[in-house]
């Protein structure tokens, strides 16, 4: 199981702009940043409890449901994760849990280019003719 440090949770929280509300409680991230000495331990415990148990459990349940529903097993050697602006350390953690490969955009699927940029009308017409 991958463990997170208090420093990692602190850095993630302080990366959120102060006027953003990270949850339905209505408190902005500035509240948590400004009161980190008071609430930091509780926030750390809540965040790590979720990340270290529920995410992995949800991830595993999702893969099991997929396998039972379709009778297929995900093949880590043939599966990839595509990310955008994700910190390298977070990506390493996800790859360690999933066993999948990291790939970058653009790529092709059955000859169709897949990417983050909007496809032009000319390109769409080209693929419609094929």
């Amino acid at each position: 199981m991958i463990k997170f440090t208090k420093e990692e949770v602190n850095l993630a929280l302080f990366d959120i702009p102060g006027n953003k509300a990270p949850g339905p409680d209505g408190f902005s991230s500035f509240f948590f940043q400004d009161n980190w000495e008071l609430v930091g331990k509780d926030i750390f415990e809540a965040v790590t409890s979720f990340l270290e148990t529920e995410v992995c459990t949800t991830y595993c349940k999702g893969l099991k449901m997929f396998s039972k529903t379709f009778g297929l097993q995900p093949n880590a050697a043939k599966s990839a994760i595509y990310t955008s602006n994700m910190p390298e350390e977070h990506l390493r953690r996800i790859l360690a849990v999933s066993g999948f490969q990291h790939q970058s955009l653009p790529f092709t699927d059955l000859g169709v280019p897949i990417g983050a940029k909007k496809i032009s009308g000319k390109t769409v017409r080209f693929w419609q003719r094929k």
Side-chain angles (χ1 to χ4, degrees):
M1 168 109 12
I2 298 169
K3 296 289 183 185
F4 294 87
T5 67
K6 190 171 185 179
E7 181 63 23
E8 289 173 310
V9 173
N10 176 287
L11 290 172
L13 176 69
F14 279 79
D15 275 348
I16 301 170
N19 62 347
K20 300 294 179 182
D25 57 13
F27 290 109
S28 70
S29 54
F30 178 74
F31 169 83
F32 295 103
Q33 294 165 358
D34 197 43
N35 294 287
W36 181 254
E37 288 184 28
L38 179 65
V39 298
K41 183 176 183 272
D42 292 330
I43 296 296
F44 170 73
E45 289 173 1
V47 168
T48 55
S49 172
F50 175 78
L51 290 174
E52 293 172 358
T53 58
E54 293 181 35
V55 169
C56 290
T57 301
T58 302
Y59 177 78
C60 291
K61 283 181 181 177
L63 286 178
K64 280 184 182 179
M65 186 184 312
F66 170 84
S67 297
K68 286 181 180 181
T69 302
F70 297 104
L72 302 170
Q73 296 293 324
N75 183 339
K78 295 181 178 181
S79 299
I81 294 175
Y82 295 86
T83 61
S84 177
N85 297 323
M86 178 179 283
E88 186 65 31
E89 186 173 328
H90 295 183
L91 176 61
R92 277 196 318 262
R93 288 176 186 274
I94 292 171
L95 295 175
V97 170
S98 69
F100 294 160
Q101 304 171 47
H102 179 247
Q103 298 291 328
S104 58
L105 296 172
F107 67 94
T108 59
D109 184 28
L110 301 174
V112 177
I114 307 294
K117 294 182 179 177
K118 184 177 179 181
I119 299 175
S120 70
K122 183 178 178 182
T123 303
V124 171
R125 287 187 292 281
F126 170 81
W127 285 107
Q128 285 175 334
R129 288 192 299 270
K130 283 193 147 221

